[in-house]
Amino acid sequence: GASNAWDHGDSVELNNGSFGSMQVHINGGGNNYVGTVFAFNHFNDGYVSDLGIGKKPGNLSGLGTDWSYTQNANSYSVRNMKVYVSDASSGHGGLESTISDADGYQLVYELDIPTTPTYGATPPQYTVDKSLSIPDFSFTRVAYLLELDDKYVWVSMGTFTDDASQIGVPCLHTLCGDGHSGSVFKQLVGNVNVVSNVPGLTGNNYVGNIEFWPYNYNAFNSLNIPGASHSAFDWGDSPDLFNGSFGSMQVHVNGNGNYQGVIFAFNHFNDGFVADLGIGNAPSPMLDWSIAGNAREYSTRRLKVFVK
């Protein structure tokens, strides 16, 4: 639909002159409109610039429908332009956009996990932290998305706290959790949905449990989590409250499905040692990835936390 006149099909004269063009056009699809969407021209040399939305009407001066040489900027008292990008980490893009269970969730935290986190000395450096904008009691579900190179797991569950500041990494630093004391959650969670490309994990309405704390822990299964051991580190451990700084951020499922065990684990995050990371049960006697020290095996180590 463009011609040899000034319109939506012009060509730049590289390295020649300084007139300037910032034009957006459409040329197909839509509602059969073809032509200029907006134009801002003649902006380098102090002349009155050209401004327009849509095609320039024929009764205005200028050389074509793209507002070239219209020199009409003085005819407007308001001339504001804003430029935006869509944030892939906002919960409307990225891997979560391909997961139907993620519909309606709001991103609260995003973290690129370092190989040797020192969260006892400094809190996690979240690339996204919207926790302060989430009112208490405003959400009923919490979800986590962990990406480890080409492996991922999404897990959503009924909430275990009404405070969004306590759903991130439960580290030892005083700025973690509620800012006063470390977050400790050792409890069952319900209505757990899992989506993963790791075979065997995906399922809906699991019964689950979480093991979040900044301290050392032992293998004693004090909650009698189904299938868990009293002597091996798995999905039924107990924290050594206020003792040590190993740290555990683990989500598990233990019933109402075909899979039983670890969904994901992020351990050993306070003292600068190589962290433990895993999706599903670890291929070792310590099924919850404790002391795996394997974070360096992954180039992508991304954790996102959501509420709904």
Side-chain angles (χ1 to χ4, degrees):
S3 70
N4 290 328
W6 275 274
D7 54 15
H8 52 283
D10 303 335
S11 300
V12 61
E13 297 179 4
L14 291 174
N15 302 314
N16 180 33
S18 56
F19 193 89
S21 168
M22 185 178 186
Q23 301 177 8
V24 174
H25 312 288
I26 52 177
N27 54 70
N31 62 353
N32 298 320
Y33 177 82
V34 173
T36 301
V37 174
F38 79 82
F40 174 26
N41 315 314
H42 215 177
F43 43 70
N44 286 308
D45 298 327
Y47 293 96
V48 178
S49 60
D50 315 328
L51 289 169
I53 297 173
K55 297 178 183 177
K56 181 186 73 66
N59 62 340
L60 296 181
S61 63
L63 297 181
T65 57
D66 66 354
W67 302 83
S68 293
Y69 281 108
T70 306
Q71 294 186 302
N72 63 333
N74 289 334
S75 64
Y76 302 104
S77 58
V78 177
R79 300 176 297 273
N80 291 334
M81 175 183 289
K82 297 180 180 180
V83 182
Y84 301 83
V85 297
S86 175
D87 181 2
S89 68
S90 67
H92 301 290
L95 180 60
E96 62 269 24
S97 67
T98 69
I99 299 171
S100 61
D101 190 59
D103 289 349
Y105 280 81
Q106 178 181 359
L107 181 69
V108 182
Y109 294 109
E110 182 172 343
L111 176 67
D112 291 322
I113 299 171
T115 56
T116 55
T118 56
Y119 296 157
T122 57
Q125 300 300 298
Y126 294 108
T127 55
V128 175
D129 182 352
K130 300 180 180 178
S131 58
L132 294 179
S133 69
I134 309 296
D136 291 352
F137 302 99
S138 66
F139 55 94
T140 59
R141 292 186 64 78
V142 178
Y144 297 87
L145 175 61
L146 179 64
E147 300 175 62
L148 299 176
D149 288 349
D150 59 344
K151 298 179 180 179
Y152 74 88
V153 63
W154 162 276
V155 54
S156 66
M157 67 200 75
T159 188
F160 50 88
T161 177
D162 53 47
D163 181 357
S165 69
Q166 299 210 54
I167 61 176
V169 180
C171 69
L172 195 62
H173 194 276
T174 55
L175 292 180
C176 289
D178 63 4
H180 302 289
S181 59
S183 297
V184 177
F185 296 102
K186 173 196 168 189
Q187 65 186 75
L188 295 171
V189 288
N191 299 314
V192 179
N193 299 330
V194 180
V195 180
S196 178
N197 62 355
V198 174
L201 299 188
T202 297
N204 292 324
N205 298 314
Y206 283 114
V207 176
N209 62 292
I210 59 171
E211 298 180 344
F212 286 14
W213 52 70
Y215 309 115
N216 293 354
Y217 48 98
N218 60 72
F220 181 64
N221 183 8
S222 61
L223 289 182
N224 291 314
I225 299 296
S229 166
H230 285 283
S231 58
F233 289 99
D234 53 15
W235 55 96
D237 303 332
S238 298
D240 296 330
L241 291 175
F242 311 111
N243 179 35
S245 54
F246 195 89
S248 168
M249 186 179 188
Q250 301 177 12
V251 177
H252 313 294
V253 294
N254 58 71
N256 206 33
N258 294 323
Y259 174 79
Q260 190 174 61
V262 177
I263 295 299
F264 79 81
F266 173 27
N267 317 315
H268 215 178
F269 43 70
N270 286 310
D271 296 326
F273 293 96
V274 180
D276 315 328
L277 288 168
I279 296 174
N281 289 331
S284 74
M286 296 187 183
L287 297 176
D288 66 354
W289 301 86
S290 293
I291 65 173
N294 63 336
R296 288 191 174 126
E297 296 177 10
Y298 304 104
S299 57
T300 298
R301 302 173 302 275
R302 182 173 301 114
L303 177 67
K304 295 181 179 180
V305 185
F306 304 80
V307 295
K308 179 178 179 180

